[in-house]
Amino acid sequence: ISFNNYLTDQEPITLSHSENLLNIKFAALDFTAPEKNQFRYKIQGLYHDWIYLGEQRELTFPNLPPGTYTFLVEGSNNSGVWSEETASISFRILPPWWAGTTAYLIYVLLGVLIIYQIYRYQVSKIALKNKLLYEQKEAERLQALDDMKTRFFSGITHEFKTPLSLMTEPIR
């Protein structure tokens, strides 16, 4: 079993989130009776144990979640002797933009901004309520002051009017 050296010696193959259908074909290099070659595989990051395939030489993995994986495959010849060499290929499926680290950071910042705006709204609402209450109390105080002035001047007017009317009455 062998993958192209270019693939095994490089960084993991990077795929986008929409490229999450993986189809892998492989073959053993024993051509004596190729139909009797046996295979087993394991995907590090997805499966922990080896999965026996028998003579099947192709695998399809639909809807792989985002992550980094290493596909390992071993083969045996027609006598059932397993290869000492394990072929591997690494690949990485990126998360969609809305599930990436940057997106989560933006979500957190938007959440904080929304909470801050709600807090500012509540504070301004309370401040406005306190201002209206203060203005109402001030208006009541000014009204009481006006009433007191009116009573005072009415009393003074009455005090001046009564003696004056008593003085002017006999003159007529």
Side-chain angles (χ1 to χ4, degrees):
I1 297 174
S2 177
F3 286 114
N4 184 331
N5 284 342
Y6 175 77
L7 294 176
T8 58
D9 293 341
Q10 298 296 317
E11 293 292 318
I13 297 170
T14 302
L15 305 169
S16 74
H17 74 281
S18 61
E19 298 174 313
N20 64 355
L21 174 66
L22 190 63
N23 188 348
I24 300 175
K25 295 179 183 180
F26 42 87
L29 298 179
D30 182 10
F31 301 111
T32 314
E35 67 279 352
K36 292 185 179 180
N37 291 342
Q38 304 288 311
F39 299 95
R40 62 183 174 193
Y41 78 96
K42 171 169 63 170
I43 297 183
Q44 292 175 340
L46 192 60
Y47 306 127
H48 297 291
D49 298 323
W50 287 95
I51 299 172
Y52 179 74
L53 291 172
E55 295 155 0
Q56 183 180 343
R57 294 182 191 145
E58 183 176 348
L59 290 171
T60 301
F61 301 99
N63 300 321
L64 285 172
T68 301
Y69 305 100
T70 301
F71 176 76
L72 304 166
V73 65
E74 291 181 346
S76 73
N77 61 14
N78 59 354
S79 302
V81 177
W82 289 95
S83 170
E84 294 179 13
E85 183 181 335
T86 301
S88 68
I89 186 168
S90 295
F91 58 95
R92 188 173 100 193
I93 298 177
L94 298 174
W97 66 267
W98 62 86
T101 306
T102 305
Y104 285 125
L105 181 63
I106 291 171
Y107 299 151
V108 168
L109 290 175
L110 284 174
V112 169
L113 183 63
I114 288 170
I115 290 170
Y116 176 70
Q117 289 298 332
I118 291 171
Y119 171 76
R120 277 191 47 202
Y121 172 75
Q122 291 297 331
V123 166
S124 67
K125 187 176 166 183
I126 291 169
L128 181 62
K129 184 178 177 182
N130 287 341
K131 182 179 177 185
L132 289 174
L133 186 61
Y134 173 77
E135 288 175 359
Q136 182 181 12
K137 294 285 185 187
E138 186 65 19
E140 288 173 3
R141 187 184 70 79
L142 290 175
Q143 182 65 38
L145 185 62
D146 283 346
D147 290 346
M148 187 177 75
K149 284 187 211 175
T150 303
R151 281 194 311 273
F152 175 73
F153 287 120
S154 294
I156 288 180
T157 305
H158 181 66
E159 290 298 322
F160 283 122
K161 185 178 172 187
T162 304
L164 288 176
S165 61
L166 287 175
M167 293 162 117
T168 56
E169 246 346 276
I171 297 178
R172 284 195 198 173

